[in-house]
Amino acid sequence: MGDGEGACNEAVEISSGWGPLSALPGDAMMWILIISELAVFGAALAGYAVSRALDPELFSASQAHLDPFSGALNTAILLTSGAFAAGAVRQARAGAIRTTRWLIGIAFLFGLAFLTVKVGEYAGHLADGYGLEANTFFTLYYLVTGFHAAHVVFGLMILALVAAFASEENVTTGCAFWHMVDLVWVLVFAVFYLS
Amino acid sequence: MKYQSQKVAAYYFYCAMALFAAQVTFGLVLGYIYVAPNFLSELLPFNIARMIHTNALIVWLLLGFFGAAYYLVPEESETELHSPKLAILQLVLLMVGASGAVVGYLFRVHEGREFLEQPLWVKLGIVAAALIFLYNITLTVLKGRKTAITNVLLLGLWGIALFFLFALYNPANLTLDKIYWWYVVHIWVEGVWELVMASILAFMMLKLTGVDREVVDKWLYSIVALALFTGLLGTGHHYYWIGTPGYWQWIGSIFSALEVAPFFAMVVFTFVMVWKGRREHPNKAALLWALGCSTLAFFGAGVWGFMHTLAPINYYTHGTQVTAAHGHLAFYGAYVCLNLAIITYAMPHLKNRAPYNQVLNMVAFWLMSGGMAFMTFTLTFAGVVQTHLQRVNGEYFMDVQDQLALFFWMRFGSGVAVVLGVLLFLYAVLMPRKEVVTPGVKTETVPAE
Amino acid sequence: MPHGAIRERPLLLTWAVLMALSALGAFGAWLADGGTLRLAGLGAIALFTLFKARLILANYLELSRAPGWLAGFSVAIFLLLAMIFCLIALVPAP
Ligand code: HEM
Ligand code: HEM
Ligand SMILES: [Fe+2]
């Protein structure tokens, strides 16, 4: 390709101009964001693993302050929210706008529930005197879960937006962001709460 | 040149090139002072010459951006500039401010923050010039065709003006002072300037390779998204040791490590466009500068930046010659090459000629780039040795500097090569000849590292 | 369905499996908390997490239609989890 003379010789392969990204559902720009976010959280979790290896004592002592039940509850909440969002995408594709909006609404409520649990956890840690700068573990804990929670907030705004403008493309794109938030939480939960 | 008002770009380019010559000359003086510390110590102390070197750099790069905008916006928007007269007024304002600042420096009139040493009246003049510019260029864009290239360029230029406002705010608290200082210095070169860089490169790829605009646009948006996503919070890599809370070490390390991505994307973008392009554009020198720009920016900003961006490494290398090595290659690769690329591309159009002095221009590219690359290597070695002696072994700063003399001599030598390259470039661009490279001759386009 | 695509599972089933894997993960955490089965517990957490990630990618994000991308994301997440859990396994808490 590219050495030809015809003006339309590239029309087939790159009709959208997005190359391989066009195989992904929804807007390609959203996927650039999703990949970037995964890189950021991946780097942070890798940094966590290295820091923990350098000071296992501190990490396990601090980790004991987290409540695995809250983490598990939030996992269930977020994954359930994700199921409704995924359902919304399928309904949007089928052209059922009303159902789409209802499903997004339910996904939204579960998102709020997640934040409520998370805020409750933060309040508990702060009351125990463990803030952002208590030690390396808590710095990472607040940064990673806080950054994730900020994405939940942002994701809720996106959900509200695509419920209002519920075209198939919009719903697919908005829900893709929401699923990224799910995916990241699953990893964060495993690393911070379970191990 | 399709629109008469594009002509104003030429005046910006002339002024930019004059300041470029001054900048590297003062660089050479600085390099000499490093090896012969008493040189001009009464007349032109090191700190004054350094201010002129760095300020001239920033000003000529900005003049180049303004010129590039005045050249490409009419062509993209398919309309004449809103007002060429205002553009000239803006240039006069900037040149008066710049010369005023230099004269002031020579008489020791300056403020204290590196890169932002200009007295208040010059800073206000810069703001006024920026307002005139934004008014002029925004109205032009609004009345004409809107393209991804002009959108991104405009976003970048508005960002430049907006973040410059932090230069006017200088809190007494040293930590806060530094925090806001980096809002200008870092967010410029690793944020909004990158948008300008991506859009000018996109314009050149469109013109030089003939690839579909649709494809270029997608690349442009992706690069911009990556640059802003990583670059804004990447500011944290300057907040490690200035009295800010420890969590900045994590934020800065993670986001700035990913700053490599937009620079890498620009390399892939330019090379894929050239590879896919079906146009054999006669201006080979412009293409060489454009490819050199993305490649050397990737090395200077991406690789040399990454080298010292993680907090545990920066703990040792902070403020050593490693920083100077990175600063030189990053500025050169990303923004010097970018400006020389658009100048090389635009000057023949502005003068209404076929591309001229191509070979000379390409020789200038290799001489300048070779010199900068060598300078970067010597400074990197110097920096590594310095880090070891000073930060690990705990020797005194000045004792260590003495032991680095050999590197500083080599830096001076590579500086001479750079200055010769600059003179050659100016000759090639300013002195038209009839000689033209015949299309179809394949030239080497991959800068060897 | 595009050539080579992975079968898309019904959402309810996906959701139920995700819940089950989360519960099993909690069991793994109980094992991993010291004792002789620590490594087995850590392995279980890592494995179940990888499965969960894959289910989200394939069925929520619908990458079952873009198998190349699904494989790419899966490999990246596998490598990340492998690195993290190997480090945790190698350096036990006292
Ligand atoms: C286009 C080419 C050049 C660019 C883009 C450039 C850029 C810069 C920048 C950004 C700084 C500030 C560095 C920092 O804060 O770490 C600087 C300082 C300096 N430059 Fe250049 N420069 C160029 C050419 C030269 C040349 C040819 C020389 C001659 C040897 C030179 C010698 C120096 C010296 C000695 C300093 C002061 C370093 C210090 O304070 O330790 N530069 N230059
Ligand atoms: C074109 C883009 C870039 C330019 C022009 C540039 C230029 C500079 C300059 C001039 C300095 C010295 C500032 C001072 O006076 O203290 C600097 C510092 C620094 N840059 Fe860049 N840079 C660029 C991109 C990057 C990237 C992408 C990274 C990271 C991946 C990076 C990492 C750093 C770090 C960590 C420092 C601080 C060094 C220290 O602690 O002394 N830079 N940069
Ligand atoms: Fe920076």
Side-chain angles (χ1 to χ4, degrees), chain B residues 20 23-24 27-28 30-31 34 46 50 53-54 57 114-115 321 323-324 327-328 331-332 336 372 375 411-412 415 418-419:
Chain B
F20 181 28
Q23 179 235 325
V24 291
L28 212 51
L30 286 171
Y34 245 92
F46 180 83
R50 193 183 193 283
H53 178 60
T54 54
L57 170 73
E114 189 198 354
F115 294 119
Q321 297 295 333
T323 306
H328 274 90
F331 258 114
Y332 175 76
V336 172
M372 288 313 282
M375 187 186 297
R411 185 255 302 269
F412 180 70
V418 173
V419 172

Side-chain angles (χ1 to χ4, degrees), chain C residues 12-82:
Chain C
L12 194 62
L13 180 62
T14 305
W15 174 80
V17 176
L18 281 171
M19 291 297 133
L21 285 171
S22 300
L24 285 172
F27 177 66
W30 180 71
L31 286 183
D33 203 14
T36 40
L37 289 177
R38 183 176 160 269
L39 290 184
L42 283 177
I45 299 169
L47 202 65
F48 296 149
T49 304
L50 183 63
F51 278 151
K52 277 156 78 179
R54 237 185 101 84
L55 280 172
I56 294 172
L57 286 165
N59 298 312
Y60 281 8
L61 278 161
E62 302 190 319
L63 289 189
S64 49
R65 295 145 185 242
W69 282 101
L70 177 59
F73 279 110
S74 304
V75 168
I77 290 174
F78 168 77
L79 291 176
L80 177 70
L81 287 172

Side-chain angles (χ1 to χ4, degrees), chain B residues 50 114-115 181-182 185-186 189-190 193-194 197 237-238 240-241 256-260 263 297 300-310 314 317-320 323-324 326-328 330-332 334-335:
Chain B
R50 193 183 193 283
E114 189 198 354
F115 294 119
W181 182 78
W182 285 113
V185 177
H186 168 98
V189 298
E190 292 159 69
W193 283 30
E194 268 182 79
M197 173 179 174
H237 66 178
H238 303 294
Y240 297 157
W241 334 111
S256 72
L258 294 172
E259 277 182 44
V260 180
F263 287 101
V303 178
W304 256 258
F306 181 77
M307 235 158 59
H308 61 161
T309 206
L310 299 178
N314 190 268
T317 61
H318 182 54
T320 61
T323 306
H326 156 69
H328 274 90
F331 258 114
Y332 175 76
Y335 302 120

Side-chain angles (χ1 to χ4, degrees), chain A residues 2 4 6-7 9-10 14-18 29 32-33 36-37 39-40 43-44 47 51 132-133 139-140 143 147, chain B residues 211-212 214-215 217-219 221-223 225-226 229 233 244-248 250-251 254-255 258 275-279:
Chain A
N9 59 349
E10 301 184 21
I14 44 168
S15 53
S16 73
W18 279 117
M29 285 301 282
I32 291 180
L33 180 65
S36 309
E37 301 277 11
V40 166
S51 299
L132 178 55
E133 296 189 70
T139 298
L140 275 166
L143 279 184
F147 198 56
Chain B
V211 163
D212 294 345
E214 203 173 36
V215 178
D217 286 357
K218 306 283 154 68
W219 275 100
Y221 283 134
S222 314
I223 292 166
L226 286 175
F229 182 81
L233 282 172
T244 34
Y247 54 78
W248 280 110
W250 288 102
I251 300 177
I254 290 172
F255 281 91
L258 294 172
W275 171 58
K276 284 201 167 181
R278 31 175 197 276
R279 187 177 295 163

Side-chain angles (χ1 to χ4, degrees), chain A residues 15-187:
Chain A
S15 53
S16 73
W18 279 117
L21 286 174
S22 54
L24 293 163
D27 193 316
M29 285 301 282
M30 180 54 84
W31 283 91
I32 291 180
L33 180 65
I34 290 176
I35 293 169
S36 309
E37 301 277 11
L38 290 177
V40 166
F41 281 104
L45 292 176
Y48 170 91
V50 172
S51 299
R52 184 200 162 279
L54 293 175
D55 197 349
E57 224 159 314
L58 173 83
F59 271 62
S60 70
S62 308
Q63 215 172 6
H65 293 283
L66 300 193
D67 172 22
F69 177 73
S70 303
L73 178 63
N74 256 351
T75 307
I77 290 174
L78 213 50
L79 289 174
T80 308
S81 174
F84 282 103
V89 174
R90 284 160 212 220
Q91 292 302 318
R93 196 175 305 127
I97 297 291
R98 264 180 69 88
T99 326
T100 305
R101 290 199 167 123
W102 271 108
L103 291 174
I104 294 180
I106 299 172
F108 188 96
L109 291 179
F110 275 101
L112 285 183
F114 175 93
L115 287 176
T116 314
V117 174
K118 197 72 225 155
V119 169
E121 280 188 87
Y122 285 151
H125 303 317
L126 290 175
D128 293 345
Y130 294 101
L132 178 55
E133 296 189 70
N135 60 41
T136 311
F137 175 85
F138 275 102
T139 298
L140 275 166
Y141 167 77
Y142 279 108
L143 279 184
V144 172
T145 60
F147 198 56
H148 175 268
H151 283 77
V152 174
V153 173
F154 187 58
L156 288 176
M157 293 195 260
I158 292 183
L159 285 185
L161 216 60
V162 298
F165 305 95
S167 70
E168 183 195 331
E169 167 88 359
N170 285 350
V171 173
T172 310
T173 304
C175 289
F177 184 85
W178 192 241
H179 295 316
M180 180 274 291
V181 174
D182 271 6
L183 178 57
V184 167
W185 177 257
V186 165
L187 303 176

